[in-house]
Amino acid sequence: MTVVALVPAAGQGTRLGLNRPKAFVTLQGRSLLERAVDGLFASGAVDEVVVMVPADLVDDARALVPRARVVVGGAERTDSVRAGLAAAGDADLVLVHDAARPLTPGPMIHRVVAALREGASAVIPVLPVADTIKRVDAGGAVAATVDRADLRAVQTPQGFTAQALRAAYDAAPNESATDDAGLVERAGGTVATVTGDPLAMKITTAFDLRIAEVLAQEHK
Ligand code: CTP
Ligand code: MG
């Protein structure tokens, strides 16, 4: 079974606030894009990688990740994943993995692929939520305390049979979602979970990048 990883890397990185798209920002001298792609190949669980980047950075991306196929992404993350899916014709299993998670450990990638090989059609890595979570009303007053025991924080790579992911995207041609499993859920599919890893943290803000700098030094 051919495992193809799609790496959405076409975002602008607005919340990080540096002067270039986030995937091209460096962490201890290597771009987030290189780290994410190299981590996927190094896991040994992935046969091919397709990277989706802004149109003006296709050549830069090809130079950074020569083993990956590079295509142009879209305006929303879902558009970028669609572009990647179109370039992943030979895939049996598809992983979707944010370039913004550059320190994702290989064993976690293996767990996702193993769950697919054991028969899941969609699987996501998750972690328990440490903070108490409350729902608030429009004025900011607490409306409810959510039972934390039932909550999970969701990471990537998320894994799918190619059939399940294509069907979910086809069923929602105009919708966007913050994660791909959300589209599978909306299409009525069952999503399994495996244990995530704190090192698979997403770099969103300057604070996250500072934490990742420390972690990258420890996990060379
Ligand atoms: N992404 C993408 N295409 C888009 C938007 C996002 O491929 N149109 C990718 C990003 O490059 C990133 C991943 O999806 O690797 C997760 O998105 P996010 O963390 O939101 O990154 P950005 O959209 O770049 O950041 P921001 O929302 O702060 O602008
Ligand atoms: Mg974004």
Side-chain angles (χ1 to χ4, degrees):
M1 281 203 282
T2 303
V3 182
V4 179
L6 310 181
V7 180
Q12 290 304 311
T14 313
R15 288 169 290 178
L16 188 56
L18 298 177
N19 57 358
R20 63 181 122 166
K22 186 160 66 181
F24 296 83
V25 167
T26 58
L27 177 61
Q28 298 288 317
R30 283 168 67 219
S31 64
L32 304 192
L33 180 63
E34 285 170 272
R35 286 179 176 275
V37 170
D38 291 353
L40 285 162
F41 279 124
S43 77
V46 168
D47 299 305
E48 298 169 28
V49 176
V50 179
V51 168
M52 300 78 86
V53 299
D56 58 336
L57 289 172
V58 168
D59 291 340
D60 296 50
R62 289 198 173 123
L64 288 172
V65 289
R67 289 178 71 188
R69 215 175 312 159
V70 179
V71 301
V72 177
E76 301 290 335
R77 185 181 179 284
T78 38
D79 302 319
S80 297
V81 173
R82 260 179 227 288
L85 263 179
D90 51 347
D92 299 301
L93 303 178
V94 178
L95 305 187
V96 187
H97 184 43
D98 295 326
R101 298 182 189 270
L103 301 175
T104 304
M108 191 185 108
I109 299 169
H110 265 278
R111 287 199 285 281
V112 172
V113 174
L116 294 173
R117 290 191 190 281
E118 285 160 20
S121 55
V123 58
I124 58 176
V126 300
L127 288 175
V129 174
D131 291 323
T132 294
I133 307 280
K134 293 186 193 284
R135 185 170 292 119
V136 296
D137 65 19
V142 172
T145 300
V146 185
D147 186 1
R148 194 172 64 193
D150 292 342
L151 298 179
R152 299 291 181 273
V154 178
Q155 302 181 315
T156 77
Q158 300 190 349
F160 308 90
T161 62
Q163 195 182 16
L165 189 60
R166 288 186 198 282
Y169 268 81
D170 288 349
N174 300 312
E175 285 181 60
S176 70
T178 54
D179 79 331
D180 305 284
L183 292 178
V184 172
E185 290 157 45
R186 268 183 244 172
T190 300
V191 180
T193 63
V194 295
T195 305
D197 192 305
L199 282 172
M201 63 175 282
K202 182 158 82 83
I203 296 175
T204 304
T205 63
F207 180 81
D208 301 330
L209 186 59
R210 284 173 61 192
I211 293 174
E213 292 281 1
V214 174
L215 294 171
Q217 263 178 332
E218 288 174 5
H219 295 267
K220 281 217 169 98

